[in-house]
């Protein structure tokens, strides 16, 4: 299933994309997509619905973030070999974990607002993993059994806030709109191998990131198992699994986002984002 949310911000309704590419209204069967409503059990119930009987949404308007809220927004840093090289850092010996504030969630076509004082806002296409069942101390062999689905994520990052200021990376990762997710939550059964997906980002029509999840240092199985050693993962948690090479910070000279820049962000099979950068008002 390809699940999505449509409507103006704050009044989105749940829907799904049918086999003909039409949006069907799921609001009679699901209150929204968040937490237990994207658990494996909840998704199994949605699979039993006769899709053809659902109302067609003729004019969906805005497509919102595919998740209404998330309990936690986890991220993995320096998780692609070439990205670690362009950052001038050795490949990590274990996953580098940080978080984004959940208030940064935004839709796949919403404007990305540069925060006041931003000097080095950057782009990062990533494969997002949505947890579908409580996971604690799970093995790598069993890890994918806890996945509800996958989505396209842009881990927008203000590098000056992230690296030049004291404290944790979360400061540079969490401005409102710095977490575009979607357009779809694609259920795990439609992604047979999360380690063989093209990930790409075009900036103003020029491809700057073009890689494959096979370049990950730590795969999805390893990441889930690793995180579950230290914390209980819960349904609706999202994990951004790292970005490939081609970020602005790694360019020579460095190139950062400015108002009017347009990002096209895609993970193979999970949908494409179109994001314009705007200045804070």
């Amino acid at each position: 299933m390809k699940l999505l949310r449509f409507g103006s911000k704050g009044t989105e309704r749940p829907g799904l994309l049918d086999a003909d590419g039409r949006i069907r209204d799921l609001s009679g069967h699901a209150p929204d997509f968040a937490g237990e409503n994207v658990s494996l059990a909840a998704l199994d119930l949605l699979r039993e619905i006769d899709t053809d009987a659902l109302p067609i949404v003729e004019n969906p308007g805005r497509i919102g973030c595919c998740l209404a809220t998330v309990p936690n927004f986890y991220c993995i840093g320096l998780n692609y070999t070439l990205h670690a090289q362009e950052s001038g850092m050795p490949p990590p010996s274990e996953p580098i974990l940080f978080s984004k504030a959940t208030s940064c969630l935004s839709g796949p076509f919403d404007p990305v607002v540069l925060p006041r004082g931003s000097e080095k806002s950057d782009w990062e296409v990533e494969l997002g993993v949505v947890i579908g069942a409580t996971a604690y101390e799970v093995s790598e062999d069993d890890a994918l059994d806890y996945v509800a689905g996958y989505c396209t994520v842009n881990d927008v990052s203000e590098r000056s806030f992230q690296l030049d200021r004291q404290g944790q990376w979360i400061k540079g990762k969490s401005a409102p709109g710095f977490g575009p997710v979607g357009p779809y939550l694609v259920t795990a059964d439609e992604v047979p191998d999360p380690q063989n997906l093209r990930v790409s980002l075009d900036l103003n029509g020029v491809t700057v990131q073009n890689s494959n999840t096979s370049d990950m240092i730590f795969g999805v199985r390893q990441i889930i198992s690793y995180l579950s050693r230290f914390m209980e993962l819960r349904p609706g948690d999202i994990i951004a699994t790292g970005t490939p090479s081609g970020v602005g910070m790694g360019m020579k000279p460095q190139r950062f986002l400015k108002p009017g820049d347009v990002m096209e962000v895609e993970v193979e099979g999970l949908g494409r984002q179109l994001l314009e950068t705007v200045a804070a008002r």
Side-chain angles (χ1 to χ4, degrees):
M1 295 183 292
K2 288 184 171 65
L3 305 176
L4 57 96
R5 300 171 64 249
F6 61 93
S8 58
K9 191 171 183 178
T11 62
E12 297 95 338
R13 295 160 65 183
L16 63 77
L17 198 71
D18 70 15
D20 296 318
R22 297 172 298 187
I23 295 176
R24 300 275 184 161
D25 191 342
L26 267 176
S27 57
H29 299 271
D32 211 338
F33 296 137
E36 291 295 333
N37 291 323
V38 292
S39 68
L40 299 178
L43 296 179
D44 283 342
L45 291 176
L46 292 181
R47 289 188 181 93
E48 297 176 2
I49 298 170
D50 179 5
T51 300
D52 292 338
L54 294 171
I56 296 173
V57 182
E58 298 290 355
N59 297 297
R62 171 182 173 272
I63 303 299
C65 178
C66 60
L67 296 167
T69 59
V70 297
N72 297 284
F73 197 154
Y74 299 116
C75 302
I76 306 299
L78 294 177
N79 196 34
Y80 281 71
T81 303
L82 294 178
H83 177 52
Q85 291 177 8
E86 74 175 355
S87 300
M89 302 178 71
S93 59
E94 59 185 88
I96 296 173
L97 173 64
F98 63 95
S99 293
K100 292 172 80 79
T102 59
S103 55
C104 78
L105 284 176
S106 61
F109 308 108
D110 292 343
V112 173
V113 180
L114 299 178
R116 290 181 179 83
S118 170
E119 300 174 353
K120 300 178 180 179
S121 287
D122 207 346
W123 55 84
E124 295 191 18
V125 59
E126 308 204 8
L127 169 66
V129 179
V130 178
I131 298 297
T134 300
Y136 185 61
E137 296 182 338
V138 304
S139 69
E140 289 184 18
D141 288 343
D142 294 336
L144 295 189
D145 295 339
Y146 293 83
V147 176
Y150 301 91
C151 52
T152 299
V153 173
N154 187 358
D155 174 21
V156 185
S157 308
E158 213 301 332
R159 303 299 190 187
S160 182
F161 296 175
Q162 174 190 356
L163 301 172
D164 300 338
R165 308 288 289 270
Q166 294 186 10
Q168 299 182 354
W169 287 5
I170 191 171
K171 294 202 301 286
K173 300 282 187 171
S174 300
F178 269 30
V181 174
Y184 312 120
L185 168 58
V186 180
T187 52
D189 56 293
E190 295 197 11
V191 185
D193 184 3
Q195 300 311 142
N196 187 26
L197 301 172
R198 180 176 179 261
V199 287
S200 63
L201 189 147
D202 293 356
L203 180 67
N204 301 328
V206 177
T207 300
V208 292
Q209 291 189 280
N210 184 16
S211 186
N212 190 284
T213 54
S214 60
D215 188 48
M216 283 185 183
I217 298 169
F218 304 101
V220 174
R221 289 181 181 274
Q222 294 170 289
I223 290 168
I224 292 172
S225 177
Y226 179 83
L227 265 61
S228 77
R229 296 182 205 170
F230 305 103
M231 63 203 72
E232 182 179 85
L233 304 178
R234 296 181 174 180
D237 281 347
I238 188 169
I239 305 169
T241 56
T243 197
S245 60
V247 299
M249 181 177 64
M251 292 181 173
K252 296 180 180 180
Q254 293 180 330
R255 161 69 157 98
F256 297 111
L257 293 169
K258 60 182 184 298
D261 284 339
V262 176
M263 295 173 282
E264 296 177 73
V265 188
E266 185 172 17
V267 178
E268 181 181 355
L270 307 183
R272 192 172 182 89
Q273 302 179 352
L274 183 65
L275 304 158
E276 181 175 0
T277 306
V278 301
R281 294 181 179 178

